[in-house]
Amino acid sequence: MDIVKANNWALVLGGSKGLGLASAKKLARNGYHILVVHRDRSIDMQDIANDFKEISNAGVQFKSYNQDAIQKSNRDDLIQKIRDFIPDGHKIKVLVHSIAKGNLKPMYSSSDNELSSQDFQITINAMAISLYDWVQALIKATLFAEDSRIIAFTSEGSSKAISNYGAVAAAKAALEAISRNMAMEFAKLGIKSNCIQAGVTDTESLRRIPGSESLIKQAKLKNPGARLTTPEDVADVVYLLCTEEAKWINGTVIKVDGGESLN
């Protein structure tokens, strides 16, 4: 276990499933207190509660908030709740952005179910601009540690055309651009900002993509490791980016795909 100061926290946006949940568990096992913001239905909460219990059992402090992280009024409310919850002198060292709220529609269809301008706006706001909004809000609330790490999840779709993925692809490209500029403009505040490009990972978000079974099959054939990327593979690199040794990594996109993108 890495030695982490007892006053360091990790805030995971979208931390109840997939890459966000795996990252929260990994960071908890390595001594970070965990804050999770998620938006889930009550019918799903029993399984989620079991996962959250695993985080608490790591011996760290843990708090979850089942609220929409995107709307400004909710964000302001959550920032105040976080300030009230964490002890004086404690700071957020890690912000993980794993919000997956997007429209998966074709650009052309014989039906009316085509991507609209509003679909793009909703997706880009949720999956890209919300990262900037949260970072700005945390800066203004003086909640970041002197050496803090921002990590967001992108995908190969940011630079490659995938059917039904146009709005999310635009969001991922915007996310990378926002992360790069934050890395430059917030460096004076001790903030390092990076994106992780995971290989095809069998998550609920992937299963929502039309034709996901084909994507999974192709990824296994392309990957030198002959398997999909797992959420735990990605969480391992999230943790690595939070270590002292990774403090000079800033403004980049790191592939975590076992070499899948080589082919």
Side-chain angles (χ1 to χ4, degrees):
M1 178 184 291
D2 185 31
I3 298 174
V4 176
K5 291 182 180 179
N7 61 351
N8 280 335
W9 291 74
L11 169 60
V12 184
L13 305 175
S16 62
K17 299 172 185 172
L19 305 185
L21 175 62
S23 299
K25 289 180 177 180
K26 178 70 177 184
L27 292 170
R29 289 195 296 270
N30 284 276
Y32 286 88
H33 305 305
I34 304 295
L35 300 163
V36 167
V37 177
H38 63 109
R39 193 74 185 102
D40 290 289
R41 303 172 302 171
S42 57
I43 194 173
D44 297 322
M45 283 309 299
Q46 183 56 56
D47 289 339
I48 292 169
N50 291 334
D51 284 315
F52 285 171
K53 185 176 181 181
E54 183 179 334
I55 295 173
S56 297
N57 288 344
V60 298
Q61 295 184 59
F62 170 74
K63 183 70 173 178
S64 66
Y65 304 93
N66 191 0
Q67 291 182 230
D68 182 0
I70 299 165
Q71 297 298 324
K72 183 181 185 303
S73 58
N74 283 341
R75 185 171 59 252
D76 292 343
D77 180 54
L78 285 162
I79 291 286
Q80 187 58 53
K81 286 178 178 177
I82 290 168
R83 292 188 73 166
D84 292 341
F85 180 74
I86 65 176
D88 290 342
H90 287 212
K91 297 290 183 178
I92 293 171
K93 181 177 176 65
V94 183
L95 172 64
V96 177
H97 185 278
S98 186
I99 294 176
K101 179 184 178 182
N103 287 288
L104 296 162
K105 300 178 184 177
M107 289 183 167
Y108 173 77
S109 172
S110 58
S111 71
D112 294 330
N113 191 36
E114 294 178 340
L115 269 177
S116 67
S117 174
Q118 185 179 30
D119 290 331
F120 273 100
Q121 292 168 14
I122 290 170
T123 305
I124 293 171
N125 185 51
M127 299 184 73
I129 298 172
S130 66
L131 171 64
Y132 176 65
D133 289 338
W134 268 94
V135 172
Q136 266 206 328
L138 290 167
I139 289 171
K140 293 182 186 304
T142 63
L143 282 170
F144 273 127
E146 291 182 4
D147 169 22
S148 53
R149 317 294 168 92
I150 299 167
I151 301 165
F153 299 128
T154 185
S155 72
E156 196 174 28
S158 66
S159 59
K160 178 181 178 181
I162 300 172
S163 295
N164 303 292
Y165 201 71
V168 178
K172 295 299 188 183
L175 179 70
E176 292 178 18
I178 288 169
S179 179
R180 281 194 302 272
N181 260 67
M182 290 196 306
M184 179 180 68
E185 298 194 43
F186 293 150
K188 64 183 71 175
L189 303 177
I191 293 172
K192 292 85 178 173
S193 179
N194 295 287
C195 289
I196 289 176
Q197 180 182 307
V200 173
T201 311
D202 193 357
T203 62
E204 182 178 312
S205 297
L206 175 69
R207 293 287 179 173
R208 291 175 183 163
I209 301 174
S212 60
E213 289 292 344
S214 177
L215 291 175
I216 290 171
K217 183 177 179 180
Q218 292 173 23
K220 289 179 179 178
L221 292 173
K222 286 172 57 178
N223 201 303
R227 68 167 176 84
L228 298 182
T229 302
T230 68
E232 290 71 29
D233 293 327
V234 179
D236 286 345
V237 180
V238 168
Y239 164 66
L240 286 174
L241 287 173
C242 298
T243 60
E244 175 69 16
E245 290 81 356
K247 66 182 179 182
W248 205 235
I249 300 174
N250 193 27
T252 193
V253 176
I254 297 174
K255 292 183 179 181
V256 183
D257 65 0
E260 177 185 313
S261 55
L262 295 173
N263 295 316

